[in-house]
Structures are given as structure tokens and as C-alpha cells.
Amino acid sequence: MKKTVTLGALTVAALAAGAAGAATLDDVKARGELKCGVSTGLAGFSAPDANNVWQGFDVAYCRALAAAVLGDPMKVAFTQTTGQTRFTALASGEIDVLARNTTWTFSRDVDLKFEFIGVNYYDGQGFIAPKSLGVASAKELDGATVCIQTGTTTELNLADFFRANNISYEPVPIETNAEAQQQYLAGACDVYTTDASGLAATRATFENPSDHVILPEIISKEPLGPLVRHGDSEWGDIARWTLNALIAAEEYGVTSANIAELSSAPTNNPEINRLLGTEGELGAMLGLDAEWAKRAIMAGGNYGEIFEKNIGEATPIGLSRGLNAQWTEGGLLYSPPFR
């Protein structure tokens, strides 16, 4: 892994401003490879498989973006980043896009000079505890030791929750999810707190997952999504509409199984036609060809297919769609129109 230094917020913003004029699309095309920042390893979201090929929900977005821009979903170089190093990696130009369980906040958008291109997972912060601890609610954790990743929004959320409930805790700072898992299982902390999806992903890797319980409280809103640097709107548009294409494809019923047929000739649905490039000039508006979205969808399927394959209820992660269902199914997922 390429080493990334950790710098303060002002330096991160300065780095981002310095790289703001870069034409990222041209750089990616000239390089022939997309540089995507991911986690250091989180089951279901971004982790290398037995053949050292990166897989997961966030990885699938990177591959879709590479397919849209370069025509090949495998032309991605993945850079592992921690909660401390991720923003410096993006601001400095070490990576072209960050897709790593990162919460969209005001300060990250405005002060750090980043552009969140959408939400790919609506999450919230929770707690996991051993059943042997005998607690059924986070409000019963007075005096508990809590493993928590530094450099994340979860630190402030944790402090706010305990203060609001007039109970105390002792933080046990850790840097990566792997370290958190190790410390938690070793008993260095009573509970571990992070995004609820991350807790489910972590528990799935335990030897005895049923010995651990995710407590019912969700103490924050954590809209997670990919982000790019400020100052390169064209690249931001490509990153944003690639995510929108995956979401829209699910809504319109465009799947891995039928996309070849639906894209072979214009259908009766003009929205599908514009999405798949058989009608209109949307690709040219992005500086890409007509089939950019078709390739992005073919890389790993539509949003729903990617969700179910990597983190859905039939996987060891076992997450339901919940807020991440389509708006037509009672969820929050919604793409602006392709027109």
C-alpha cells in the first residue's frame, strides 16, 4: 500500500485547492487506469478475495466508473485508506475518487473542499456487544469502554449520545476496522461502535457471530457516498451520473440479464433508451460515448443487484434494503431523471 501522510484540515483543503484545476478525466484516460480509494478491508464493502481481487459494494462502484470511462471494469488501482488518511489521499491527487464508507457532512463538503456525488448507502451509527455483557440497550452502557475509529464522525456522535443520556464511557481509540475487531474480540473494550452496516460486516467475520448482538439504538444519520475533489465539475458529473445510472437501472428494470436485449434497439421507454444510449446525446454531454452507462451497469449489475450480491440478506452480511430501497418501495433511493 502506498503510504499516505496524515495532515490537518487546513492542509487537506489546500491540497484540494491545488489540485482543483486538474482535468481528472483526461488524466484517467491518459493513465488508462482509475485510482480508487477504498477501506483497509471491510467484508462486503471493500476487501480482496482469495485471489487478491478487490470485491464488494464500494468496489463495484469503482468498477462501474472505470467501465464507463475506460471501457473495462478491471482497470482500477485500489488504494487502501484509513479514516485518518483518506482525505489527504483524495486532496493530493493520489486517488481520483474515494469510495469508502464516508459520511457526507457540511464540513467535509465545504471546509475540506470535497464534492459528494450522491449517497450509495443510508446508514446510522450503532453498537455491537458480546451477549455475555448482558445489555439490551446502549443506554445501559454507563462506564463502558468503547472501541472507536479515530478521524471519523462516530467520535462526536458517541460523545453526544452519552452526554445526552447522562452516562459516561471510556474511549479506546483504534485506526482501522481490522484493529477494532481484534481489540473488541480480545476484550480491550466492552463494545465497538461504527456504522451499523460496518458492524454487520464485522460480525459476519467472527467465528461465532451469534455470540454478539447489535444493540437497537441508531444514534446518528450517516449518509455514505463516493466523493471527488472540488474544482473539477466535469469529473464530478461523470462520477455522479455513473452512480445515478446504477440506481436508475434498478428502477427501470434494467438488469444484467436483459441489458443486452434492451440496448440492442430503442424500446418503448424513452428513459431506458436515453440511459442505454440508443436515444439522445447524454454521453456526449459528459465527454463520453453513448454506451457509458450501459458499460457501467454491465460491470456488476444495477444497484439492487450489487446490493444483494455483496451485502444483501442472502449474504453473510445479511443487510435488508431498509432505507436503501427504491423510492417506489418505501426507501430513499432516487435518481434524477435521465433527460
Side-chain angles (χ1 to χ4, degrees):
M1 181 182 71
K2 187 173 182 178
K3 186 174 178 60
T4 305
V5 296
T6 302
L7 301 175
L10 289 175
T11 307
V12 169
L15 284 170
T24 308
L25 176 59
D26 293 340
D27 291 344
V28 171
K29 285 183 173 179
R31 191 189 309 126
E33 188 176 64
L34 174 72
K35 297 188 295 187
C36 188
V38 291
S39 74
T40 54
L42 181 61
F45 285 88
S46 54
D49 64 14
N51 297 315
N52 205 33
V53 177
W54 282 85
Q55 305 285 353
F57 181 77
D58 288 329
V59 168
Y61 168 74
C62 299
R63 296 205 183 283
L65 183 56
V69 174
L70 299 170
D72 187 341
M74 301 307 291
K75 289 185 176 180
V76 186
F78 292 98
T79 296
Q80 299 179 55
T81 64
T82 70
Q84 296 283 357
T85 64
R86 55 186 163 177
F87 298 129
T88 307
L90 180 59
S92 67
E94 181 182 345
I95 57 177
D96 303 308
V97 61
L98 177 65
R100 182 203 177 277
N101 303 75
T102 298
T103 303
W104 186 350
T105 70
F106 181 98
S107 60
R108 289 170 175 175
D109 188 331
V110 177
D111 193 30
L112 294 185
K113 310 300 182 188
F114 294 131
E115 181 177 348
F116 285 81
I117 56 89
V119 176
N120 70 343
Y121 192 93
Y122 289 94
D123 211 341
Q125 184 176 342
F127 298 87
I128 188 171
K131 283 186 176 177
S132 59
L133 192 63
V135 298
S137 166
K139 295 179 181 178
E140 300 172 12
L141 294 175
D142 189 19
T145 52
V146 183
C147 281
I148 183 165
Q149 292 190 58
T150 55
T152 68
T153 56
T154 55
E155 287 182 287
L156 293 176
N157 296 334
L158 179 67
D160 289 350
F161 176 79
F162 276 75
R163 180 181 177 185
N165 287 281
N166 196 30
I167 54 179
S168 64
Y169 71 101
E170 180 181 343
V172 178
I174 46 91
E175 188 167 348
T176 67
N177 190 66
E179 183 186 357
Q181 178 176 332
Q182 181 183 43
Q183 294 290 335
Y184 169 77
L185 291 175
C189 51
D190 295 316
V191 297
Y192 172 41
T193 183
T194 189
D195 297 338
S197 63
L199 295 178
T202 300
R203 183 172 65 173
T205 65
F206 291 172
E207 185 175 351
N208 296 302
S210 60
D211 289 347
H212 304 267
V213 59
I214 296 176
L215 301 179
E217 287 83 2
I218 298 295
I219 68 170
S220 69
K221 294 183 294 184
E222 305 292 335
L224 310 179
L227 55 153
V228 298
R229 288 177 295 276
H230 268 188
D232 191 349
S233 298
E234 288 76 13
W235 179 244
D237 286 344
I238 292 169
R240 176 178 303 104
W241 285 96
T242 296
L243 175 60
N244 287 337
L246 302 178
I247 295 171
E250 183 186 22
E251 180 182 346
Y252 303 150
V254 179
T255 70
S256 300
N258 63 20
I259 191 169
E261 178 183 354
L262 292 175
S263 61
S264 63
T267 70
N268 292 328
N269 187 326
E271 195 92 359
I272 290 177
N273 298 342
R274 290 189 290 267
L275 174 68
L276 299 182
T278 57
E279 181 179 322
E281 300 291 335
L282 299 189
M285 296 179 193
L286 286 172
L288 302 176
D289 64 24
E291 295 190 339
W292 66 277
K294 173 185 174 181
R295 291 193 300 272
I297 298 163
M298 291 181 71
N302 64 37
Y303 179 93
E305 291 178 285
I306 292 170
F307 189 104
E308 296 302 337
K309 175 184 177 183
N310 293 288
I311 57 177
E313 291 181 303
T315 71
I317 313 302
L319 295 172
S320 62
R321 290 293 295 270
L323 296 176
N324 297 290
Q326 291 280 336
W327 67 287
T328 51
E329 301 293 332
L332 298 178
L333 217 58
Y334 188 106
S335 169
F338 275 74
R339 63 169 61 251

